[in-house]
Amino acid sequence: MIVKHEINVPYRKATFGMGCFWGCDSLFGVMDGVLRTRVGYSGGTTPDPEYRNMGDHTEVIEIDYDPTKISYADLLDKFWNFHEYSLTAPIKRQYMSLILYHDEEQKQLATQSLKEEAAKSSEELITEIIPAGAFYPAEDYHQKYRLQGHSDLVDAIGLTRKLLQTSHVAARLNGYVVGLGGMEQFESDIPKLGLDDKTAEYVREQLRKNEGGMLYC
């Protein structure tokens, strides 16, 4: 089995905070056009944050995406519709609703989308929009957390510590094993990812079993 971990095409970054980062790692990783995902800490000033000592940072997901396949507006749509926690109730900074923009275009799109979402709500939205600063990757056990719960699958695809943050295959499978993406998309993905029959069947079983379930931490 030759697993196709890397996709080398021009990409852009997007960074969001939407509650616990385990769920959104699965959510975005399985979207067509998303190349890689990693979770970590950003948005604050505390140097070298860790999970048990995060300071003023927020749990975020950093996404590498192919802008010819998926737009920033598509990513924003997913951001607004899949927060783990409320968009209107105050919550501690670790889990806050946060958009970190990487350029002026992202800032404008994010600001406009916030106005549109606010117009739909009877309560004030608490989402913050700020420039993207330093991103600190979270500890290895947080990366592709759902996928790492399937040790045989992890071994089958040769997933290493580095690949937890850089592998396209890991990003996709981290969504499929929790029931995201749909069977049709997965079937079309099998040859693209380089999965053998045994590995594909295992993922297929997980997708069938978990499809339609809720993301949670």
Side-chain angles (χ1 to χ4, degrees):
M1 178 169 62
I2 302 177
V3 178
K4 301 174 183 177
H5 286 289
E6 305 293 344
I7 294 185
N8 296 313
V9 299
Y11 66 89
R12 299 181 69 183
K13 287 188 180 294
T15 309
F16 303 121
M18 351 177 5
C20 173
F21 47 29
W22 292 346
C24 57
D25 201 9
S26 293
L27 182 72
F28 284 104
V30 80
M31 293 181 72
D32 278 338
V34 169
L35 305 175
R36 293 168 290 273
T37 63
R38 61 199 64 84
V39 297
Y41 317 114
S42 194
T45 59
T46 303
D48 302 319
E50 300 175 348
Y51 185 66
R52 299 298 178 188
N53 187 23
M54 204 176 300
D56 60 350
H57 289 286
T58 299
E59 290 190 18
V60 301
I61 181 169
E62 185 177 76
I63 302 160
D64 295 344
Y65 68 98
D66 179 351
T68 68
K69 300 288 183 63
I70 190 171
S71 70
Y72 189 64
D74 292 329
L75 298 174
L76 284 170
D77 183 65
K78 194 71 72 171
F79 168 84
W80 290 116
N81 286 291
F82 288 92
H83 273 62
E84 179 160 4
Y85 303 112
S86 171
L87 283 165
T88 58
I91 193 168
K92 62 181 180 178
R93 190 164 187 86
Q94 177 179 353
Y95 299 123
M96 69 180 293
S97 175
L98 181 65
I99 300 174
L100 298 107
Y101 59 85
H102 291 263
D103 55 36
E104 188 63 27
E105 180 186 9
Q106 286 189 355
K107 179 182 179 181
Q108 292 177 3
L109 289 169
T111 301
Q112 181 59 36
S113 70
L114 174 58
K115 290 179 181 177
E116 291 172 358
E117 292 299 319
K120 303 174 189 175
S121 177
S122 59
E123 300 179 74
E124 181 180 359
L125 301 187
I126 58 174
T127 302
E128 291 188 16
I129 300 174
I130 62 173
F135 171 85
Y136 301 89
E139 296 79 356
D140 289 341
Y141 72 92
H142 288 299
Q143 308 291 342
K144 310 300 177 295
Y145 183 81
R146 298 304 180 198
L147 177 59
Q148 288 198 70
H150 301 264
S151 56
D152 289 344
L153 178 57
V154 166
D155 291 342
I157 65 173
L159 193 60
T160 64
R161 291 177 62 183
K162 178 183 177 182
L163 289 173
L164 285 170
Q165 298 185 46
T166 64
S167 169
H168 175 68
V169 174
R172 301 294 275 184
L173 296 185
N174 192 50
Y176 287 132
V177 296
V178 296
L180 297 173
M183 193 62 70
E184 182 178 353
Q185 178 180 295
F186 175 65
E187 295 296 342
S188 69
D189 248 0
I190 292 172
K192 300 175 189 175
L193 301 178
L195 304 182
D196 61 22
D197 291 343
K198 181 179 179 181
T199 304
E201 181 55 29
Y202 178 84
V203 177
R204 201 177 281 120
E205 290 174 1
Q206 299 305 309
L207 179 53
R208 287 195 195 101
K209 180 173 69 174
N210 296 312
E211 194 166 19
M214 294 182 65
L215 289 176
Y216 62 93
C217 279

